[in-house]
Amino acid sequence: MELSQDGRRIRLNGSKQLALLALLALNADRLLSADHIVDALWADDEPGDPINALQHQISRLRAAVGRERVSFHGSGYSLQIPADAVDITRFEHLATEGRTGLRLGDSRAAATTLRSALSLWRGPPLDGLPSYRWVLAESARLENLRLDVIEDRLEAELTLGLHAELLPELEALVGNHPFRERLWGHLMLALYRSGRQADALESYQAAARALANGHGLDPGPGLQQLQAAILGHDPSLSAGYARTATVTLAATPSRPTSNLPAPLTSFIGRQDQLTEVGGAVRECRLVTLTGPPGVGKTRLAVELGRTV
């Protein structure tokens, strides 16, 4: 946990000061009640005069960061700083942007953005703070979010055909996080695409053992389907398949080439919607379109059916 201004580190004295700054920074531009802050900083070891103790810590923090940055309104305090002044906020924004690119099929841009998000990490989140309940909970949330972003980045890079380069990182990740099934899936796919089919299937068995020994669970549907696809040499597992595959439907007098209804209206000006829903269909087994009657849900679904 560090505070800097114009590239110069500002030192704060004491763990309470660091914890107070972290609490306010995690809730930048939100008002936190004095009672909430007292409970966060002292918990079961509340001082005799908690409000006076809090005001003392607030005064010390204002001296370090500037009085105008720690404002008081009614019954609480807030930190007045730009949202992007907190690296966690920048990370979350980049993670959202990268996921959007991945969902829309722009794997190259998604990989670049997600790598930028991960480059903000320097070590364990909130390192150096006391082991308060909220610190532990927030640290766990952020660590899980970091792993989610790593998995998204790996998915984007696998789509780009980087399976061989990713193998050492994937092997290390499943060793450190053996219950993350998505990581096992990425490893299985990278091994299969590298011509190591037997190793890919052994990775499935390793995942099954880890889940059984750790939680008494079987692999989820995603891993089971991937194992079946590897056993069946499913062509969709090949790198670049989605970008190059072509499906040809042979017409016969007795069987139509499609069961989709003929379009009754033109489809103009909705390409963004079509792209977004198409990205969701590639990720999910079921996509539901919702909206008021007449907005064009069925027309969009039919047009998407034609594209796939």
Side-chain angles (χ1 to χ4, degrees), residues 139-202:
S139 296
R141 182 188 76 84
L142 291 170
E143 181 59 27
N144 280 321
L145 180 57
R146 182 182 73 91
L147 289 170
D148 289 342
V149 173
I150 288 175
E151 291 172 344
D152 290 335
R153 192 211 89 219
L154 290 167
E155 179 178 333
E157 292 177 341
L158 282 169
T159 303
L160 296 174
L162 302 178
H163 40 273
E165 295 91 331
L166 295 174
L167 279 174
E169 180 183 4
L170 282 165
E171 289 168 346
L173 283 168
V174 297
N176 292 327
H177 307 283
F179 307 130
R180 303 277 301 199
E181 294 189 50
R182 193 176 173 201
L183 287 176
W184 283 108
H186 288 339
L187 176 59
M188 291 168 62
L189 185 59
L191 287 167
Y192 179 81
R193 289 179 175 176
S194 299
R196 298 168 58 181
Q197 301 174 42
D199 290 334
L201 293 172
E202 174 53 37

Side-chain angles (χ1 to χ4, degrees), residues 9-74:
R9 183 175 177 180
I10 299 175
R11 291 197 171 275
L12 297 177
N13 296 319
S15 60
K16 283 280 192 295
Q17 282 284 283
L18 278 174
L20 174 59
L21 175 63
L23 182 65
L24 293 173
L26 288 168
N27 298 275
D29 293 325
R30 287 178 53 197
L31 188 68
L32 295 183
S33 70
D35 289 341
H36 178 91
I37 299 173
V38 167
D39 182 63
L41 296 184
W42 283 278
D44 299 329
D45 190 26
E46 190 172 297
D49 188 344
I51 297 301
N52 184 64
L54 173 59
Q55 290 174 347
H56 174 67
Q57 294 295 339
I58 292 289
S59 296
R60 293 175 59 204
L61 183 60
R62 282 173 168 168
V65 304
R67 182 175 183 83
E68 72 284 356
R69 294 191 184 276
V70 184
S71 62
F72 176 77
H73 298 283

Side-chain angles (χ1 to χ4, degrees), residues 242-291:
R243 295 190 296 275
T244 61
T246 302
V247 178
T248 302
L249 299 177
T252 64
S254 60
R255 183 178 180 181
T257 60
S258 172
N259 63 354
L260 294 172
L264 299 177
T265 60
S266 61
F267 193 80
I268 299 174
R270 302 180 67 186
Q271 189 59 44
D272 288 347
Q273 291 181 348
L274 186 64
T275 300
E276 182 176 1
V277 178
V281 167
R282 284 190 291 273
E283 288 188 354
C284 307
R285 297 183 64 191
L286 173 67
V287 175
T288 304
L289 302 178
T290 63

